[in-house]
Amino acid sequence: MPRKMRVQYAGAIYHVMSRGDRRENVFLDDVDRQDFLKTLAETCQKTGFQVHAYCLMPNHFHLVVETPDANLVAGTAWLLSTYTIRLNQRHKLSGHVFGGRYKALIVEGSGHGYLKTVCDYVHLNPVRAGMLQGEDRLTAYPWSSLVWYAAAREHRPAWMRVERLLGEHGIGEDTAQGRQEFERRMELRRVAEETEEALAPLRRGWCLGSEAFKRQMLARMDGKLGEHHAGALRRENAADRAERIIDQELQRLGWTETDLLSQRKKAPGKLDLAARLRRETIMPLKWIAARVHLGTSKSANGKLHAWMRAQTQPAAEASLVSVETEEPVA
């Protein structure tokens, strides 16, 4: 099955989610839930993970975690494997607890609201699942980090980091008044309608952030994606690589985008650029023809073949002359 790539770097933020094997429950009772949070605390102590939000559901969990070190994969592997061992030992079971590969959506933490979006999504999971009655407060669900956002600082675990999310909600200080305001805002959020279209980037995307942030992440992946990674991610990575090549070539030529548009279709600079895109990216000819303004893909194909033959022919002829003018061996 196609996979999304793990991008690791110091200070990265991720929305991690993992379901039970065959969608079976991963928490059989409250002791299991307490064990998971204990194991999460140990993971944070070992790795430096900082938790912005979590929610434990019957057959899966959500975790918004920041990694001061580039160690998401090692830390999450320890968390999942250790919890699996402990649950199996306690219930005298064997085999997998979590099914398949965990999801890890990378989140921009710039303060522009992306962290707020993903943490609110996590905290509102019990509402979407119908696990709270209309009159219940959100903090009535005990297996969500909202209970820690409502608690005073001295009562929170050291691995819970609340100030960034409070800041994205416009709450400047971690005070009793600030915590009450945060809870009030979350109660307002529970009645806001969330469409499937709005939730799609959180459920099926690979990155939640601005276009500039996505380009930065794609640059980190450049050259590391293979056929086993998700097709949409490979296409987005290839498009970003192509745009960077275009920027390099325009700078070399001293052109702007306007120049690229106004130059004739057979201009050597255009054909050089298109030929490089064909050699160094997987972008289809139709995309290249439209992006470089070469006309239709059919006419671009003819121009490019002729241009590339012309570029390789002088080198071949020079090699032939060199061979013919060598002194015969005695």
Side-chain angles (χ1 to χ4, degrees), residues 68-198:
D69 299 316
N71 57 356
L72 172 76
V73 173
T76 307
W78 191 90
L79 169 66
L80 299 183
S81 61
T82 303
Y83 175 72
T84 295
I85 291 168
R86 291 172 176 176
L87 180 137
N88 282 342
Q89 287 178 342
R90 180 168 175 266
H91 293 285
K92 296 180 170 46
L93 300 172
S94 62
H96 297 291
V97 172
F98 297 98
R101 201 167 180 254
Y102 64 88
K103 295 180 181 179
L105 173 83
I106 190 162
V107 180
E108 181 176 357
S110 61
H112 295 309
Y114 299 106
L115 178 65
K116 174 181 177 294
T117 296
V118 74
C119 288
D120 287 0
Y121 171 80
V122 168
H123 285 147
L124 291 171
N125 253 260
V127 177
R128 283 190 295 272
M131 301 180 75
L132 289 172
Q133 302 300 317
E135 65 277 6
D136 291 336
R137 293 166 55 184
L138 286 171
T139 50
Y141 189 75
W143 306 111
S144 154
S145 53
L146 267 182
V147 296
W148 298 123
Y149 278 87
R153 182 180 306 171
E154 60 268 22
H155 299 307
R156 279 188 220 118
W159 43 267
M160 269 303 306
R161 184 176 178 186
V162 305
E163 74 279 1
R164 290 188 69 165
L165 179 56
L166 292 177
E168 292 210 357
H169 274 271
I171 299 168
E173 294 187 23
D174 179 14
T175 62
Q177 184 177 357
R179 293 189 290 273
Q180 288 171 5
E181 174 61 15
F182 176 74
E183 186 178 352
R184 186 188 72 82
R185 293 184 183 205
M186 288 304 300
E187 291 293 345
L188 291 174
R189 284 280 288 112
R190 74 184 292 174
V191 298
E193 291 188 13
E194 296 176 300
T195 65
E196 281 301 313
E197 184 179 358

Side-chain angles (χ1 to χ4, degrees), residues 281-296:
T281 78
I282 61 170
M283 298 307 291
L285 182 59
K286 184 177 180 180
W287 185 94
I288 294 172
R291 182 65 182 84
V292 184
H293 310 291
L294 287 176
T296 66

Side-chain angles (χ1 to χ4, degrees), residues 248-265:
Q248 292 168 8
E249 289 297 304
L250 291 181
Q251 187 173 3
R252 180 181 67 83
L253 293 165
W255 288 3
T256 65
E257 283 285 347
T258 303
D259 295 324
L260 185 61
L261 175 62
S262 62
Q263 289 284 337
R264 59 193 180 90
K265 293 181 176 64

Side-chain angles (χ1 to χ4, degrees), residues 16 31 47-48 56 59 67 80 140-141 148 154 158 165 196 205 215 218 222 243 287 293 315 324:
V16 176
V31 175
T47 63
L56 311 187
N59 69 351
T67 58
L80 299 183
Y141 189 75
W148 298 123
E154 60 268 22
L165 179 56
E196 281 301 313
R215 287 195 296 271
L218 288 167
D222 192 21
E243 289 295 341
W287 185 94
H293 310 291
E324 288 176 346

